[in-house]
Amino acid sequence: MNIISEHGFRIDGRRPAQIRNINTRLGLNRNAEGSCYLEHGNTKVLCAVYGPYEGKSSKRIEDKCAIVCQYSATKFSGLERKNRTRGDRKSTEISRLLEKAFESVILTEAFPRSQLDIFCEVIQGDGSNLAACVNATSLALADAGIPMKGIASAATCGVVDGKPIVDLTSREETDLLPRVTLATICGRDEVILVELQNRLHIDHLSTVMDAAKATCADVYECLAVVAQQHLKACAPILGN
Amino acid sequence: MTVYLPGDVINEPSSSDSSIIGYGISVRGQTRIATQPGAFHNDDGKVWLNVHSKRYIPQEGDRVIAIVTSKTGDFFRLDIGTAEYAMINFTNFEGATKRNRPNLKTGDIIYATVFDTTPRTEAELTCVDDEKRARGMGQLNGGFMFKVSLNHCRRLINPSCKILQTVGKFFKFEITVGMNGRIWISASTSDDIIKIHDIINKSEFITDEDELITLVQNNYTRSVSD
């Protein structure tokens, strides 16, 4: 079964450079400072941001805010039920990736000796889970009003027969397909996260990176529209 | 209303000659960059962004509602909803001396002013002004305290705001609004407290005055026990 048909379409009818639908809701968790629900095609992510607050002294950093991220997927999020939703090697790796990515986005010097908690929960996973978590976390941080350099956006990109395809689904994320997850700030050429899975030939690297950057810029436009609409909905209390 | 997202360059023509850079904006070289999503405002040489947020950042001179969390020697440790706890010395209460100490326990609520917000140290609070008078600050007894967003608190404090005036026509109550998003209300009955709490929560996104009067009237006539 080929990922791209002879007419240039993918399994779900998309072109190689086309992303799936993005639906979002902001501010649905009343107990969190910022929260976001994001649907990226069939990938559904909930994200909540707590803090900055005075955390444990063991995690305290003297001159900036410590960012703690917890990534988990529900038991029913994949095709097969998982017995362990967090704490396994894959979840821990993604949590550390998100922590390092958002340490370079958030202005951590504004909150010395405090802690910021980010919780990401994948309700339904259909590929590009890490990219969806980055997008949801960016919107949740914007909803919380945390000072940032910009809104981060992420996308995945794979290579088939030397041609890049973006925003992979779980059926396309096979064990043989080399794929890159890239996150940038404001769709600019400012990279905060790169993850490569499987082996990629050096000749295809620049093609994949260019396609991923362009897709990040497209995703950023979607997230910016969502954040602006949410702010305009808050117009009564922001002062016209 | 112009809305800026983090990372956007602020290009308002009137902001180029502003001398005071306010909240939510940072300066990089000659450019001004938004660091938080908010609505742009400029007024008399000042530019700032109004940010919708729930987490309070202490500013000197703000009146806040604090919860006593512990006592350490001469200081009380207070939770004002910031990234770090705040402190208050026992001498910063009206009429307090070494022999006559304020009687505060864990969980008590006080209304205080932030007077020192040096970075990398805890914020310091005081319950007296320069003449050692309380002027309404101190411990808040009884009543009910709840949290709303910071912008709603600023809106309630605004003298031109109609919400509290309208509620005052229907209920007899006492209210303290802290800049850190906490509100303390006290009334003669618990039913009144519940109704006022619901009115304040629901009025966050109401701008029409008739709609506000309808909301207050509906809460005034309803029965809480139903």
Side-chain angles (χ1 to χ4, degrees), chain A residues 32 53-54 145 148-149 237-238, chain B residues 7 35-36 50 77 83 85 204:
Chain A
Y53 66 100
E54 186 161 343
M148 296 187 283
K149 289 179 185 172
I237 59 178
L238 287 182
Chain B
T35 57
Q36 283 162 286
N50 265 354
R77 214 168 179 225
Y85 291 123
E204 181 167 1

Side-chain angles (χ1 to χ4, degrees), chain B:
Chain B
M1 177 179 78
T2 309
V3 165
Y4 283 100
L5 299 179
D8 290 351
V9 179
I10 293 176
N11 270 330
E12 300 286 327
S14 58
S15 75
S16 56
D17 54 352
S18 301
S19 54
I20 298 178
I21 307 298
Y23 191 74
I25 299 175
S26 75
V27 182
R28 275 186 228 165
Q30 296 299 315
T31 33
R32 289 164 183 177
I33 310 281
T35 57
Q36 283 162 286
F40 179 79
H41 284 88
N42 76 81
D43 180 38
D44 194 21
K46 304 186 268 285
V47 287
W48 74 94
L49 294 179
N50 265 354
V51 177
H52 181 269
S53 178
K54 293 180 194 171
R55 177 61 58 162
Y56 174 64
I57 296 174
Q59 311 282 334
E60 283 181 32
D62 277 354
R63 301 279 185 109
V64 296
I65 294 177
I67 303 171
V68 179
T69 56
S70 64
K71 180 183 179 181
T72 309
D74 288 345
F75 289 89
F76 295 96
R77 214 168 179 225
L78 307 169
D79 172 22
I80 58 174
T82 53
E84 286 188 299
Y85 291 123
M87 294 185 312
I88 190 166
N89 196 297
F90 77 96
T91 56
N92 285 332
F93 290 87
E94 189 184 34
T97 60
K98 286 201 173 181
R99 228 172 288 274
N100 178 32
R101 290 176 179 240
N103 184 28
L104 290 180
K105 299 178 176 57
T106 299
D108 281 352
I109 299 173
I110 65 172
Y111 183 55
T113 302
V114 180
F115 82 92
D116 186 16
T117 58
T118 310
R120 291 179 183 79
T121 61
E122 291 135 0
E124 257 189 87
L125 269 60
T126 181
C127 282
V128 290
D129 60 358
D130 294 340
E131 301 168 6
K132 295 295 178 181
R133 298 255 186 242
R135 305 221 189 274
M137 291 182 277
Q139 188 176 355
L140 302 171
N141 290 298
F144 178 73
M145 190 197 80
F146 57 102
K147 285 193 64 167
V148 296
S149 72
L150 303 187
N151 303 92
H152 197 29
C153 279
R154 281 192 202 105
R155 186 183 175 197
L156 292 173
I157 289 173
N158 197 327
S160 64
C161 181
K162 301 292 182 194
I163 298 173
L164 294 184
Q165 294 175 32
T166 308
V167 179
K169 291 171 185 167
F170 289 84
F171 298 94
K172 183 178 289 188
F173 69 107
E174 195 178 346
I175 185 170
T176 303
V177 179
M179 291 294 291
N180 55 340
R182 293 184 180 160
I183 297 177
W184 174 90
I185 52 178
S186 180
S188 51
T189 62
S190 299
D191 286 6
D192 282 0
I193 292 178
I194 292 170
K195 290 172 182 177
I196 297 165
H197 162 265
D198 289 344
I199 291 168
I200 291 175
N201 268 334
K202 291 190 171 86
S203 61
E204 181 167 1
F205 297 106
I206 288 178
T207 51
D208 188 51
E209 202 163 324
D210 293 336
E211 197 179 340
L212 172 65
I213 291 172
T214 304
L215 170 71
V216 179
Q217 276 174 345
N218 288 341
N219 272 273
Y220 181 68
T221 52
R222 78 176 172 114
S223 178
V224 174
S225 52
D226 284 353

Side-chain angles (χ1 to χ4, degrees), chain A residues 216-230:
Chain A
C216 285
D218 294 340
V219 174
Y220 170 72
E221 297 299 325
C222 301
L223 304 185
V225 167
V226 170
Q228 281 174 355
Q229 282 172 354
H230 183 66

